[in-house]
Amino acid sequence: MAIEITSGDILTSQQLSKHMKIYAGPGAGKTHFLVENIKNIVKTVPQIINSQNRKVLCITYTNSAVEEIQRRLHGFSDAVEVNTIHGFIIKHIIMPFQEDLKQIIKTDFNLEINSKRKITSQIEGLSILHGHEKEQIYNYINNELSISQEYDFSKKIMGEVQIDIQEYYKSKKHLLMYSNKISSEVAIIIKKYIWSTACKLTHDEILYFGYRILRVNSTALYALRVKFPYIFVDEFQDTNPLQTLIIKEIGEKHSVVGVIGDVAQSIYSFQGAKPSEFQNLINIGKNDIVEYIIKGNRRSPNNIVQLCNYIRKSDVLRQESIKTYSDDIEGKEIEAKQIVFVIGESETALSLLNTVKNSGGVILTRTWAMAFKYIQNISNEQKKILTNIYNSYYASPIDIRAEIVEHNNVSWVRAFRFIMKLYDAYTTNSFIDLLSAFGLYVNIDILKKDRSILTTDVISLNKGLVALFKGVNDYTLIVDIINRFNYLLLNDINLKTFFKKLGDNNFQIEYLTEYDNEKLQMNLNKLELGTVQQLFNEVFSKDSKYMTVHQAKGLEWDKVIVGVVPSRFDCTTLNDFWSNPRILEESPSDEFTRLYYVACSRAREELYIHLPDASLVGVITTNLDRYIESTECNLNYRFCY
């Protein structure tokens, strides 16, 4: 039986002497609990106080979560290390023990790595073979095999050759995964190139070699146990089996391990995460784990908490809303707003959804394809094109959303943003937008040092913008504007002269590369300016009103619209989900339930659930009313058609 605690409780020295597992649902204040208990350890535990080298280790799931915990630990950071599991392994296992890493590669895969360069992780957002030409790899393969052969497989396929960590976990076999377009003989040579020349490891390989090094090097293991007497793992439901083995290995002796998580929020099966890893963690080595539970929910009002309790009714955790509502003037309690089920796509229904979205609401969907359907003021054909473009990056290391929001490394992203910034400069007569556009391609520091360059060319630049955007509207194809810009560069001596002054004699805008497949190119060529503006400025933006559930994990908003519907891979229907939601198993249908749960639990004030049609009204009413009666809870909801 789990011991009930609150997010404000500080664990005693006796409690801190044993491994612990803490169940904490959404809005439970688990980050507050984690941070305050780490602070207490740093201030009171002699092992930490009396040593400059020993620290509390805190592992969490994302880089943004790392930054948030570090921010809250301000003033205590010298005695705490906060990292992702991959960051921790690279820093403390892979980098210090390179000889062990290379010996394991030789033992497990019969590959001799003679490079003196250190092997590290691939760069986030870039292919593992980024910066390496196909022909270079083809020549390497032929040299290694002493043959002369031509190849036509892509860098993407070659970059996907990696260790099968699922097979290793199941059978302890050291095998590679690769496309059936590649022979096993060639696959192992490609892997040798990646490890010895590119010197990179995939995310899965970081886990594999991290665990293998700890298994063969007792010194490395002992050093980690000494350095980190306390280890806390946040979002433990998102770990995969190899991560669990690494944590267990370190925690078997000396170190105390605390894991915090929520089975109902395990939604990363595609990355190997299994809710059973959290459920079945009952001991580390010979030491039992003490279980705690935080039931309070500070984020959401009672209606939302009770609906979430219905969705997770197959689980033991039942949350209780401890969110308070009071009138700022009179201090009177205010009744929480009803949950609204919005039915279909009538004018009334869509008007309500748009009103909620435009007043600060966020739309959460199962996939980006579904999110695109909610965009206003573009045609269904343009929405389909956006879906096709996004799907072109399926199984790619490139996160196209992150590219658009912050990076601009992908050629078409940078080219499209350049045109939009020029358009903004044209419509607003903005000097800043003009500089910002040029800064995507050329060094504008020259302009800052010598303003006369721009001053003497302002008139010709303005004429160029007028010519570029003459007759342009929301329905103009953006590639047509790019082609017009390139034509003007070839034929306008003033523009040529301007870019020559900036150090580029042959300035042209390229939006396609040899790595963009034919389908992607075809869809990019059909995008309208208005669609691109919506995509960059509203959908894929830092303050976006649209998001998938996976992107929304760990976030919260006052108003949330849940537009989650199952895909064919979820092996379920909304009818089945609302009739009998199940979350504990590792089936696709249970994971869909967990996705829905995560989506609903993001709401701080108001929750709107968009359903495709009225066929679900009877199912929802019957099952929710039955649940309300059996649990005697207060759950108010209504339907809007």
Side-chain angles (χ1 to χ4, degrees):
M1 180 70 71
I3 301 167
E4 188 171 341
I5 58 175
T6 73
S7 60
D9 286 347
I10 300 297
L11 299 176
T12 66
S13 57
Q14 183 178 3
Q15 289 171 317
L16 288 171
S17 67
K18 298 179 180 179
H19 299 309
M20 63 204 84
K21 177 164 68 171
I22 299 137
Y23 297 88
K30 65 179 178 61
T31 304
H32 175 80
F33 172 83
L34 183 63
V35 167
E36 294 307 312
N37 274 276
I38 289 175
K39 288 179 180 178
N40 179 60
I41 290 171
V42 170
K43 291 187 293 185
T44 62
V45 174
Q47 280 178 291
I48 305 295
I49 295 173
N50 299 327
S51 172
Q52 293 183 335
N53 297 319
R54 291 186 174 182
K55 296 185 176 185
V56 178
L57 173 63
C58 179
I59 294 174
T60 190
Y61 193 70
T62 63
N63 289 324
S64 59
V66 168
E67 292 170 2
E68 174 62 16
I69 292 173
Q70 286 175 332
R71 184 186 67 79
R72 296 198 194 189
L73 281 169
H74 181 69
F76 293 83
S77 54
D78 288 347
V80 185
E81 173 145 342
V82 188
N83 218 327
T84 62
I85 185 68
H86 293 88
F88 163 72
I89 294 171
I90 284 291
K91 180 178 179 180
H92 293 284
I93 305 177
I94 300 292
M95 297 304 285
F97 299 101
Q98 289 279 305
E99 291 306 314
D100 291 291
L101 170 62
K102 292 174 182 178
Q103 183 58 49
I104 290 167
I105 290 174
K106 182 177 181 179
T107 302
D108 293 357
F109 299 97
N110 196 29
L111 290 176
E112 192 84 41
I113 306 298
N114 295 317
S115 171
K116 293 183 179 180
R117 291 171 57 203
K118 288 197 171 186
I119 305 173
T120 186
S121 63
Q122 68 182 99
I123 299 172
E124 195 75 36
L126 295 179
S127 157
I128 199 166
L129 289 171
H130 178 75
H132 297 261
E133 298 300 325
K134 287 188 295 186
E135 290 70 23
Q136 180 183 355
I137 306 170
Y138 297 160
N139 291 335
Y140 184 90
I141 296 169
N142 284 337
N143 288 337
E144 287 288 318
L145 297 177
S146 300
I147 60 175
S148 180
Q149 187 173 325
E150 292 187 359
Y151 306 98
D152 62 356
F153 32 76
S154 66
K155 279 174 59 175
K156 178 177 181 295
I157 286 177
M158 291 190 284
E160 289 170 351
V161 178
Q162 68 169 325
I163 297 171
D164 188 341
I165 67 168
Q166 300 297 330
E167 186 59 41
Y168 174 73
Y169 180 74
K170 288 189 295 184
S171 64
K172 293 296 182 284
K173 292 180 180 177
H174 314 292
L175 302 175
L176 295 179
M177 298 188 300
Y178 47 87
S179 167
N180 56 17
K181 295 180 180 179
I182 300 177
S183 68
S184 58
E185 187 180 40
V186 169
I188 193 70
I189 300 303
I190 291 172
K191 195 72 263 187
K192 182 178 181 180
Y193 179 91
I194 292 172
W195 286 337
S196 64
T197 303
C199 297
K200 293 289 187 287
L201 302 174
T202 69
H203 282 69
D204 281 355
E205 289 170 353
I206 291 170
L207 299 178
Y208 174 87
F209 287 117
Y211 178 66
R212 291 284 289 120
I213 289 171
L214 293 185
R215 292 292 293 170
V216 303
N217 189 331
S218 58
T219 302
L221 184 58
Y222 178 74
L224 290 176
R225 289 169 174 167
V226 170
K227 184 165 187 174
F228 300 112
Y230 292 93
I231 301 172
F232 290 93
V233 186
D234 192 16
E235 304 286 4
F236 194 80
Q237 76 280 346
D238 293 328
T239 60
N240 69 31
L242 264 186
Q243 290 172 271
T244 305
L245 288 179
I246 291 169
I247 297 301
K248 280 186 168 184
E249 198 72 34
I250 301 171
E252 189 170 337
K253 294 180 181 177
H254 308 303
S255 299
V256 175
V257 173
V259 301
I260 305 174
D262 180 18
V263 174
Q265 297 186 73
S266 179
I267 59 173
Y268 290 98
S269 64
F270 61 90
Q271 293 182 353
K274 295 183 177 182
S276 59
E277 289 299 303
F278 187 67
Q279 290 174 268
N280 299 337
L281 188 68
I282 57 175
N283 55 56
I284 294 178
K286 296 179 181 179
N287 302 307
D288 291 338
I289 292 176
V290 179
E291 296 187 348
Y292 300 89
I293 187 169
I294 303 175
K295 289 185 176 181
N297 184 318
R298 300 177 181 276
R299 175 187 299 160
S300 307
N302 183 65
N303 280 335
I304 296 173
V305 171
Q306 292 302 334
L307 180 72
C308 289
N309 282 343
Y310 169 75
I311 294 173
R312 71 179 300 162
K313 65 179 183 176
S314 60
D315 181 31
V316 295
L317 178 60
R318 294 285 184 278
Q319 282 199 299
E320 301 165 358
S321 176
I322 52 177
K323 183 182 180 75
T324 56
Y325 282 82
S326 62
D327 187 291
D328 289 339
I329 299 175
E330 299 181 7
K332 295 179 180 177
E333 186 172 314
I334 299 174
E335 183 179 352
K337 294 189 177 182
Q338 290 178 307
I339 292 168
V340 181
F341 290 93
V342 184
I343 309 299
E345 298 184 4
S346 69
E347 188 175 334
T348 303
L350 293 179
S351 176
L352 173 60
L353 294 177
N354 289 333
T355 299
V356 174
K357 187 198 74 171
N358 294 333
S359 62
V362 171
I363 299 173
L364 304 183
T365 57
R366 171 73 174 85
T367 63
W368 277 114
M370 291 302 300
F372 295 146
K373 290 183 179 181
Y374 286 93
I375 303 174
Q376 296 173 262
N377 304 322
I378 67 172
S379 68
N380 289 332
E381 180 61 28
Q382 288 287 295
K383 293 175 183 178
K384 185 176 180 181
I385 290 169
L386 288 180
T387 300
N388 292 338
I389 291 171
Y390 187 81
N391 289 343
S392 296
Y393 291 92
Y394 177 75
S396 165
I398 295 174
D399 180 348
I400 198 61
R401 178 181 179 273
E403 277 295 321
I404 293 174
V405 172
E406 55 186 324
H407 299 314
N408 297 312
N409 291 325
V410 173
S411 292
W412 68 264
V413 172
R414 183 163 49 164
F416 288 10
R417 189 177 297 284
F418 175 76
I419 293 300
M420 287 195 302
K421 284 181 177 293
L422 284 185
Y423 191 63
D424 289 342
Y426 165 71
T427 55
T428 63
N429 198 27
S430 168
F431 175 76
I432 298 298
D433 285 331
L434 196 62
L435 279 183
S436 180
F438 294 149
L440 290 169
Y441 286 99
V442 294
N443 183 9
I444 61 173
D445 288 341
I446 297 173
L447 298 175
K448 296 175 182 177
K449 293 177 182 177
D450 186 0
R451 287 288 184 125
S452 63
I453 294 176
L454 189 60
T455 304
T456 57
D457 293 292
V458 165
I459 295 176
S460 61
L461 285 172
N462 285 338
K463 286 181 179 178
L465 290 180
V466 170
L468 178 63
F469 293 111
K470 183 179 180 180
V472 165
N473 57 41
D474 285 350
Y475 306 105
T476 305
L477 298 181
I478 193 164
V479 296
D480 286 349
I481 306 174
I482 291 174
N483 292 333
R484 187 187 293 183
F485 178 84
N486 288 333
Y487 175 81
L488 287 171
L489 278 179
L490 290 173
N491 294 278
D492 190 319
I493 188 64
N494 291 319
L495 286 177
K496 274 186 176 181
T497 302
F498 173 71
F499 282 104
K500 189 175 181 179
K501 290 176 181 177
L502 293 180
D504 196 326
N505 295 329
N506 301 297
F507 186 74
Q508 287 276 289
I509 299 299
E510 300 288 345
Y511 70 95
L512 296 175
T513 71
E514 61 175 307
Y515 305 115
D516 296 327
N517 62 52
E518 188 176 336
K519 183 179 179 182
L520 174 61
Q521 293 181 25
M522 180 181 67
N523 283 285
L524 289 174
N525 288 336
K526 295 178 181 178
L527 272 184
E528 297 169 355
L529 176 62
T531 302
V532 175
Q533 288 175 318
Q534 291 260 32
L535 180 66
F536 279 55
N537 298 333
E538 291 191 29
V539 184
F540 288 167
S541 63
K542 290 183 179 179
D543 55 351
S544 176
K545 302 289 186 182
Y546 310 85
M547 203 165 286
T548 65
V549 181
H550 289 101
Q551 293 281 351
K553 184 78 181 296
L555 303 176
E556 57 185 53
W557 297 271
D558 286 344
K559 301 176 183 180
V560 170
I561 299 169
V562 175
V564 177
V565 295
S567 70
R568 60 189 177 90
F569 303 107
D570 293 318
C571 303
T572 189
T573 65
L574 285 175
N575 193 304
D576 289 341
F577 161 70
W578 283 108
S579 298
N580 187 25
R582 298 175 301 277
I583 66 159
L584 296 177
E585 300 302 320
E586 288 165 4
S587 68
S589 60
D590 282 50
E591 177 140 334
F592 175 79
T593 301
R594 296 193 289 271
L595 273 167
Y596 218 103
Y597 178 84
V598 170
C600 292
S601 63
R602 301 305 94 196
R604 286 193 294 247
E605 302 285 350
E606 302 174 27
L607 176 61
Y608 301 82
I609 297 175
H610 187 211
L611 302 172
D613 54 64
S615 64
L616 292 162
V617 171
V619 174
I620 292 172
T621 302
T622 299
N623 286 282
L624 284 188
D625 288 355
R626 185 184 299 145
Y627 177 78
I628 291 168
E629 182 179 357
S630 64
T631 60
E632 298 182 341
C633 71
N634 183 20
L635 200 176
N636 295 312
Y637 65 93
R638 65 182 176 88
F639 295 93
C640 173
Y641 297 87

